[in-house]
Amino acid sequence: MAAYIARRLLLGLVVIWGLTVVTFAIARVAPGDPAARWVGPHATAEQIAQARVELGLDKPLYVQYARYLGQLLHGDLGVSIRTHQPVAADIRTFLPASLELTVAGMALAVILGIPLGVAAAARSGRWLDHLTRLTSIGGVSMPTFWLAMILQLVFFKQLHLLPLSGRIDTMTPLLHPVQPITGSFLLDGLLEGNWPVFKDALAHLILPAVTLAAYPLGLIVRMLRSSMIETLGEDYVRAARAAGFKERVVVYRYALKNAIAPTLTVMALTFAYSLTGTFLIESVFDWPGLGNYAAEAVITNDYPAIMGVTIVVAVMYVALNLLVDVVQALLDPRIRTGVAS
Amino acid sequence: MSSTAKAASPAPGPRALPAAARRAEGLRLLLRNPLAAVGGVTVLLLALLALFAPVLAPAPGDAFSAVHPAQQLLPPGPGHPFGTDELGRDLFTRVLYGARISLAAGAVAIAAALAIGVPLGAVAGYAGGFWDELIMRFTDVVLSFPSLLLATAIAAMLGHSLTNAVAAIALSWWPWYTRIVRAQVVSLRERPFVEAARALGVPGWRIVFEHLVPNALAPVIVQASLDFGSVILTLAALSFLGIGAQPPQPEWGLLINTGRNFFLTNWWYVTFPGLAIFLTVAAFNLLGDGLREILDPRTRGRV
Amino acid sequence: MAEKARAADAYAVGAREPLLSIRDLALDIAGPDGMRPILRVQALDLYPGEVLGLVGETGSGKTLTAMAVVQLFPTPHARITGGSVRFRGRELVGAGPRELAAVRGRRVGVIFQDPSTSLNPVFPVDEPLIRALRIHRGLSRAAARAEAERLLERVGLPGLVGKGRYPHELSGGQRQRVMIALALAGDPELLIADEPTTALDVTVQAQILRLLAELQRERRLAVIFITHNVSLLSGFADRVAVMYAGDVVECGPTAAVLQRPQHPYTQLLLAAAPRLGSGARRLAAIEGLPPSLRERPRGCAFADRCPRAAERCRVEAPRLAPVGEGGPAGGGAATGDGLAAGEGLAAGAGHAVACFFPGGEAQ
């Protein structure tokens, strides 16, 4: 088991190193002079030349790459052109809000997706199955940013049920002060028993979380349904039924533990997708997170910020995949002991 | 007829049927799968709508630049089934022309991804050794980026335009095809017809592109058609972010991006372009699901 | 009248109530073109404590017939469409999930053909066993563990409880022993063994068979032993039922069926059977193939391959009917004609055959 994890970890490091090569390549191969981009459109030729030396762009490519890698290793992602702050500091500021949103969306998708996928598989070919399949195809086919606006139209404009945007009403924390513990109004409100803050934060979280959950929900249901159908046809499931176990135990204990493995990979995949999906919906919901930051960076050509966010999210993605590999090994003794299935 | 078809398939499986019969069977199964059939018909319909947009659109002049100050932000009604935008342009016309952009751009992006991915996969599979390792580890790295993230980063760096967005999608999408082609080529490499060609002294590149690639193409083409929906969705996302299509192009994602500023008071502005994306992507996904089921022998029986 | 009396005599042996009684069982499989008839079993009885060998070629419907008791078929598309399966006097056709659950594991244990696919790969092997003991015998966790230990020791696997051993760490024979322990956990009266040794090495086969025979005697189990290898039956099975194309064509005491086979199919089957230990399985060596179950013939299903087939065999299906007591019944008037459908069918414990021209030259 330890050897297995060590091997995966090493592989993950190699991939992360590869990521730095790719981001470096994107940043350097892109048309236009990075130095000119750095100093902005109104700079003089002299300023550009000076920037070129400052940025080390007069050195050979491999020296530039070594410098880039060295900066990355020190957690230096450059300085944002737009905010004039270190990109790393910006990311630290904005990432928690995005994580809160992503985790809430994923939790929603997993909590709904597992029973739906299992139920669809158990009733394969019947109306519930067809309904679930249609819904899941709908979930993966819907542009999230559009869904966000449609939900706003329905639940804010028409029904007046939920707030339009933001993380919390400006007034709420003023009237009911919170001590920042985790940085998440929702969690802090809960931890401190500050119910007005908790309720308000929750109300603000619902629409963005539902929006973000649509795509992963569709994927999880689809994936789990198909792997569950396959598993339910296995001999050991028939044997469990023959042993007289309750259908609920057969499906949710004996079959699900086998069928969940491929779905876990999809979950890791969609977590990263959701984190990227915040690029599209945080601006719609005015959610002060990384996605909003990235969307702003993208339209204002804030290259250091774009590349910084890219590498941070990609590294998180690799780490998450690594985690899934480990969890899968824990679930399946055959992987653990290195026996091919 | 049937005997030549039989001879063409090298290894008849247990269900070996003449190719024509197999195709007919596939079509029958597709039609028996109601969701897939709905998807297929919708795709066909959308293609026709896109093709005949200039004839069908009530105001073809509104597709790109036009200003009708008297007709700004009119709700849906006779004459403007989808309403009008902030410049008074007919939204139905713009959405219809948007179909041309999305379908064409999607096709170009996938073709470009194939053009990068297929040769790389073929070389990796045929050459093996160092080149195989190099190419496949590189595809692994590219695949370790969430695809939307990589496409966004590339599109942002290339500069904001529809063409660059299409290029960015292709650049983030090719590794999938490289993997499939490599696996196919590796399995075909040791077949007698390849060894015969090698024995005859046919140069390696000719073996790869005249013998291996054509034989490896079928599963890639299938995967590419399955990817169409995702590619269209990604393109709309890039345009929505402002780094894809640029005004006055009537691209769906861009329409929604512009409509954002008006949608709370003018619901139709974002609703219809979004529905267009949703319908198109769902149609491709339904069709793709059906295709996958037909091609997967494990699910074949239980349509 | 006289015929009926004779028929009744033949089944007088079975004065006891049968444990399991199958009548006119019809089972179809849903295919792409609608329901396909697979089984049309006229009659099959099993008495308490009795070992019934169910033999036939692959695809003859042995497994589906036996699994009809617990209604767990290898394919989800199988449906019982008619007839009756009575177990301990209870009708199971049309029974709800509750009644079936009361039977599965508790009254009927099942051993499947391939132990490598029948054990859940991601659970330790003792886990389902402990669970079964807890739910079927109402044991506490500790008592169930102790009982599991005892049961596993009995099947030859001591010291396996609480060790976190997974199926892939066991050999094929060990896995089948675990399956046997699991099948016996609920202390059932009936054990269905579906070719329990087919997937195992020859030497292991013999060990598993010996274990099954011992357990059958110890626990007075009724056993349905499914096999396509007739040579495994003598010495183990009390009675044999031969299946062909979804129906029982001959059944009776093992010695009678094996030594004086009446149905031409049984005769060919025995002639083709290998001796024990010869290893080769050559059951398919009979000319021709069973009829496609789709175009089920109007007459006898075996007519096309039968050396004795006559005009009548192609137009009329023979019913299962008793064989005369005095050896091969040359012209027993009752044979083949059977009894009026629905009335005390020709099953029971006696020797019965579904053929218009039974007996004759047995090669």
Side-chain angles (χ1 to χ4, degrees), chain C:
Chain C
M1 202 52 221
E3 290 166 20
K4 270 201 179 168
R6 194 139 42 102
D9 275 349
Y11 310 120
V13 197
R16 301 164 292 168
E17 273 294 295
L19 178 68
L20 172 70
S21 184
I22 294 177
R23 289 292 178 276
D24 293 313
L25 175 66
L27 182 141
D28 295 1
I29 289 186
D33 313 305
M35 300 296 271
R36 235 165 354 131
I38 298 294
L39 284 188
R40 293 294 180 264
V41 180
Q42 295 179 36
L44 188 65
D45 284 336
L46 180 71
Y47 291 88
E50 175 189 54
V51 178
L52 173 72
L54 202 52
V55 293
E57 288 166 280
T58 305
S60 60
K62 313 175 294 266
T63 301
L64 288 170
T65 304
M67 293 301 172
V69 183
V70 283
Q71 295 184 24
L72 290 171
F73 305 108
T75 154
H77 304 296
R79 298 263 179 293
I80 294 178
T81 52
S84 151
V85 176
R86 294 179 82 84
F87 179 73
R88 290 160 48 92
R90 273 247 166 98
E91 180 57 58
L92 291 180
V93 171
R98 218 170 245 278
E99 286 167 89
L100 285 172
V103 170
R104 293 176 184 161
R106 178 72 195 85
R107 303 270 180 203
V108 181
V110 184
I111 306 170
F112 294 93
Q113 183 169 348
D114 187 352
S116 60
T117 57
S118 304
L119 283 168
N120 198 320
V122 302
F123 284 90
V125 291
D126 55 343
E127 200 271 0
L129 185 57
I130 292 170
R131 176 180 297 273
L133 287 164
R134 295 190 64 184
I135 61 172
H136 294 313
R137 303 221 209 140
L139 297 178
S140 69
R141 176 156 281 280
R145 284 173 70 98
E147 183 59 29
E149 183 67 67
R150 228 183 342 265
L151 203 51
L152 284 170
E153 196 176 333
R154 178 61 195 91
V155 299
L157 296 169
L160 209 58
V161 173
K163 294 285 171 9
R165 297 285 290 275
Y166 288 89
H168 72 269
E169 299 171 288
L170 303 183
S171 72
Q174 287 173 322
R175 287 179 206 156
Q176 197 60 299
R177 287 167 195 270
V178 172
M179 284 306 294
I180 292 171
L182 184 60
L184 296 178
D187 206 6
E189 301 150 272
L190 170 60
L191 185 66
I192 298 171
D194 183 5
E195 308 211 23
T197 61
T198 309
L200 304 175
D201 291 344
V202 181
T203 46
V204 182
Q205 284 187 14
Q207 293 169 11
I208 295 290
L209 276 177
R210 204 176 315 127
L211 176 66
L212 279 175
E214 285 169 18
L215 290 166
Q216 188 270 329
R217 269 195 306 277
E218 276 169 30
R219 295 171 170 249
R220 303 174 164 279
L221 284 166
V223 176
I224 298 179
F225 187 83
I226 302 167
T227 182
H228 56 236
N229 189 349
V230 191
S231 61
L232 294 180
L233 294 175
S234 48
F236 181 40
D238 300 309
R239 281 196 308 124
V240 173
V242 181
M243 290 199 69
Y244 182 80
D247 195 2
V248 174
V249 294
E250 180 164 5
C251 68
T254 308
V257 174
L258 295 192
Q259 281 156 29
R260 296 187 302 280
Q262 297 297 308
H263 198 282
Y265 174 68
T266 315
Q267 291 164 359
L268 287 163
L269 189 69
L270 291 174
R275 296 294 124 221
L276 183 61
S278 77
R281 290 192 224 104
R282 294 183 48 251
L283 278 192
I286 303 169
E287 283 286 306
L289 288 167
S292 148
L293 292 162
R294 172 132 204 82
E295 302 102 33
R296 176 171 284 276
R298 191 148 56 98
C300 176
F302 190 58
D304 283 348
R305 297 165 80 185
C306 182
R308 252 183 265 158
E311 196 56 34
R312 186 182 180 192
C313 304
R314 301 191 189 278
V315 293
E316 193 182 338
R319 301 282 295 174
L320 202 58
V323 173
E325 313 276 357
T335 45
D337 295 318
L339 301 157
E343 287 176 51
L345 270 164
H351 192 173
V353 65
C355 181
F356 295 120
F357 308 102
E361 54 284 19
Q363 254 76 53

Side-chain angles (χ1 to χ4, degrees), chain B residues 250-294:
Chain B
E251 204 277 341
W252 292 333
L254 180 61
L255 290 184
I256 296 176
N257 185 23
T258 326
R260 269 165 93 163
N261 305 315
F262 311 97
F263 85 99
L264 276 179
T265 41
N266 308 278
W267 60 270
W268 59 90
Y269 201 148
V270 298
T271 304
F272 291 109
L275 273 179
I277 302 176
F278 177 53
L279 270 181
T280 310
V281 178
F284 275 108
N285 283 343
L286 282 173
L287 182 65
D289 256 26
L291 277 180
R292 210 188 335 248
E293 243 166 61
I294 286 163

Side-chain angles (χ1 to χ4, degrees), chain B residues 13-26:
Chain B
R15 274 186 68 103
L17 290 170
R22 250 198 329 259
R23 259 196 304 280
E25 157 112 336

Side-chain angles (χ1 to χ4, degrees), chain B residues 93-218:
Chain B
T93 302
R94 306 209 82 208
V95 169
L96 214 51
Y97 273 82
R100 303 187 122 197
I101 296 182
S102 286
L103 293 179
V108 172
I110 285 183
L114 284 171
I116 305 170
V118 170
L120 280 177
V123 169
Y126 185 75
F130 171 76
W131 291 107
D132 187 20
E133 277 298 314
L134 185 75
I135 293 171
M136 293 326 287
R137 289 302 78 78
F138 185 56
T139 63
D140 284 349
V141 168
V142 176
L143 288 177
S144 339
F145 286 93
S147 64
L148 178 62
L149 177 73
L150 188 60
T152 305
I154 297 176
M157 299 310 275
L158 288 177
H160 311 166
S161 77
L162 182 61
T163 319
N164 285 345
V166 168
I169 293 173
L171 284 173
S172 60
W173 219 277
W174 61 267
W176 298 109
Y177 306 133
T178 303
R179 277 195 174 173
I180 299 172
V181 171
R182 179 189 172 273
Q184 285 289 314
V185 167
V186 164
S187 76
L188 288 169
R189 193 170 50 185
E190 311 303 333
R191 291 282 181 81
F193 70 90
V194 177
E195 289 188 356
R198 220 170 332 191
L200 287 171
V202 179
W205 64 270
R206 280 191 58 186
I207 293 179
V208 170
F209 290 100
E210 286 177 17
H211 296 276
L212 293 177
V213 170
N215 278 302
L217 226 46

Side-chain angles (χ1 to χ4, degrees), chain A residues 15 18-19 26 30 133 137-138 141 145-146 149 152 157 222 229-230 276 280 283 298-299 301 303 310 317, chain B residues 141 144-145 149 157 160 240-241 243 256 260 263-264 270-271 274 277-278 282 285-286 289 293 298 302:
Chain A
V15 169
L19 293 179
I26 295 172
R133 288 181 80 184
I137 286 193
S141 306
F145 48 91
W146 176 69
M149 292 181 223
Q152 284 179 331
K157 176 91 190 305
R222 259 157 71 132
I229 284 180
E230 202 171 306
T276 320
L280 299 170
S283 59
V298 152
I299 39 176
N301 292 334
Y303 301 103
T310 302
Y317 183 44
Chain B
V141 168
S144 339
F145 286 93
L149 177 73
M157 299 310 275
H160 311 166
F240 175 75
L241 281 175
I243 52 177
I256 296 176
R260 269 165 93 163
F263 85 99
L264 276 179
V270 298
T271 304
I277 302 176
F278 177 53
N285 283 343
L286 282 173
D289 256 26
E293 243 166 61
R298 280 173 311 178
R302 52 171 100 99

